[in-house]
Amino acid sequence: VEFNLRQPSSDFINIMALSFASPMPIESLDYKPDSPEFRKNFISSGPYKIERYLANQSITLIRNESWDPESDPIRRAYVDRIDVVLGSDEGPVQKQMEAGTADLAWDTGVPVSDLHRLRSLKDPGLTIEPDASVNYLVMNFREPALSNRDVREAINVAIDKTAIVKIMGGPTVATPMNRILPPEIIGGELPVDSPFVTEEDKGDPDLARSMLADAGISGLTLKMPYGNAGKAPSIAQAIQQDLGDAGIEVELIPTLTNLFYTSYLFVPEADWDIAVPTWLPDWYGNAGRTFFVPLLDGRTCGANSANFGCYDNRTINGLIDQALEAPTA
């Protein structure tokens, strides 16, 4: 297979190493991508195929009799069956992992209490490594209140990031970043002076309140959806407290974790103002395409976009184009 690119792409090899670059049979085009029909009739090109899929409940994978290991030197089929359970909270997941009734946790964290316990036991199976994932506050630019720069600046100043670090498990597993790119991505190692950094990252609600008063803003209420599992409720409550101290009332909207994105962040017409999603790159190093671009390219704004708040800046969009077309990292 020969690829002819329309422009330079310094991260093309990284893109081709992702799972979606696997070949798919032409029959896959019979269904709208990621529709219920597509999921029900998914055709596998690997060692496993889907035997059963229940949306938001479970996925069962069994061996794919059409897969030829001689033609695939990369993947292996070490087990006969894989049962994926969807929608579990981190507490039950951790208990199952330690009891041996589950083998792998995906998209959940270790509960803080268990993290402290495992560290105190000096468990040799526990390692803590950076993964470049970030929890960040996104603001919905479609809402009139947040189209006001003064409001956005006050929100930045008000929040106590050290309190959120404690919720996440402490400074050994989390740290305030005060920037967009994490250090595992090229550009993330460069020094950045954020105008919203408060002393020791503890926030300054009084300063935020005075900023709002100087701008003539009062009586502000914001709606904040959050997933009702894991650490998300505690983070939402901490932000509600901080913004409340700054004079901004926050209405918390609990939702099922799997509906947090599909009913709110991915839906342009959904009624929300602020939220705390999680994002991480698809690879490390030259990964701005998978981190900065989806979150901040205004031309991607719309249904199912990762630019949840519809941030759109013409200058930033132009810089994104320059970066993506650059011949080197």
Side-chain angles (χ1 to χ4, degrees):
V1 177
E2 180 179 285
F3 295 94
N4 294 285
L5 305 183
R6 297 178 181 177
Q7 62 196 37
S9 176
S10 62
D11 57 0
F12 184 70
I13 297 300
N14 300 92
I15 294 172
M16 293 305 296
L18 294 177
S19 58
F20 73 74
S22 300
M24 295 289 288
I26 195 169
E27 291 83 0
S28 299
L29 300 178
D30 293 342
Y31 311 100
K32 181 180 178 181
D34 206 31
S35 64
E37 293 75 21
F38 177 88
R39 294 185 177 198
K40 183 178 179 181
N41 296 280
F42 187 82
I43 303 172
S44 174
S45 62
Y48 296 97
K49 66 179 183 180
I50 297 175
E51 180 187 53
R52 191 178 188 214
Y53 167 64
L54 297 176
N56 303 319
Q57 295 184 47
S58 65
I59 305 172
T60 301
L61 305 177
I62 59 175
R63 288 187 181 274
N64 181 7
E65 67 278 359
S66 300
W67 176 70
D68 180 7
E70 295 297 325
S71 67
D72 189 349
I74 302 297
R75 293 173 289 190
R76 299 289 185 268
Y78 293 116
V79 298
D80 292 327
R81 179 187 181 92
I82 301 172
D83 291 303
V84 182
V85 179
L86 307 177
S88 295
D89 198 4
E90 60 183 20
V93 168
Q94 181 66 24
K95 287 182 172 60
Q96 290 182 59
M97 293 281 288
E98 295 193 35
T101 56
D103 301 291
L104 176 68
W106 183 258
D107 206 24
T108 64
V110 177
V112 173
S113 58
D114 290 301
L115 180 63
H116 292 320
R117 173 177 57 82
L118 294 171
R119 283 162 53 189
S120 66
L121 294 174
K122 302 188 185 308
D123 189 320
L126 176 68
T127 62
I128 300 175
E129 304 291 342
D131 65 357
S133 65
V134 297
N135 293 278
Y136 68 100
L137 186 80
V138 62
M139 306 184 198
N140 192 349
F141 278 67
R142 305 176 188 89
E143 298 299 328
L146 292 167
S147 64
N148 188 319
R149 182 185 178 114
D150 294 315
V151 173
R152 300 196 304 271
E153 291 183 351
I155 291 173
N156 270 279
V157 168
I159 294 175
D160 182 353
K161 297 176 183 176
T162 63
I164 296 176
V165 166
K166 291 179 182 177
I167 293 170
M168 298 299 295
T172 59
V173 297
T175 183
M177 206 165 68
N178 295 315
R179 60 188 301 133
I180 297 171
L181 294 179
E184 291 80 12
I185 296 179
I186 289 177
E189 77 286 357
L190 301 175
V192 173
D193 293 324
S194 170
F196 309 114
V197 177
T198 56
E199 186 175 356
E200 297 182 345
D201 291 306
K202 291 184 176 180
D204 192 335
D206 292 336
L207 174 59
R209 183 185 288 270
S210 67
M211 292 167 63
L212 292 172
D214 291 343
I217 299 169
S218 62
L220 190 61
T221 298
L222 302 177
K223 296 181 179 180
M224 181 179 182
Y226 66 93
N228 62 353
K231 302 174 180 66
S234 297
I235 292 175
Q237 292 164 11
I239 292 174
Q240 181 189 46
Q241 177 67 50
D242 292 338
L243 296 188
D245 292 342
I248 301 174
E249 182 180 349
V250 176
E251 177 187 341
L252 296 182
I253 306 173
T255 180
L256 295 174
T257 301
N258 58 298
L259 298 180
F260 172 65
Y261 291 94
T262 57
S263 295
Y264 286 95
L265 300 192
F266 283 148
V267 183
E269 61 271 20
D271 185 14
W272 64 276
D273 297 291
I274 59 175
V276 179
T278 302
W279 197 255
L280 69 163
D282 290 332
W283 60 81
Y284 296 154
N286 186 15
R289 184 191 299 271
T290 77
F291 200 99
F292 190 98
V293 176
L295 300 185
L296 295 171
D297 189 334
R299 296 159 297 187
T300 68
C301 174
N304 299 314
S305 168
N307 184 351
F308 305 122
C310 203
Y311 175 85
D312 189 9
N313 182 300
R314 183 175 299 179
T315 301
I316 297 297
N317 296 343
L319 291 170
I320 285 173
D321 290 340
Q322 291 182 44
L324 294 180
E325 296 177 12
T328 68

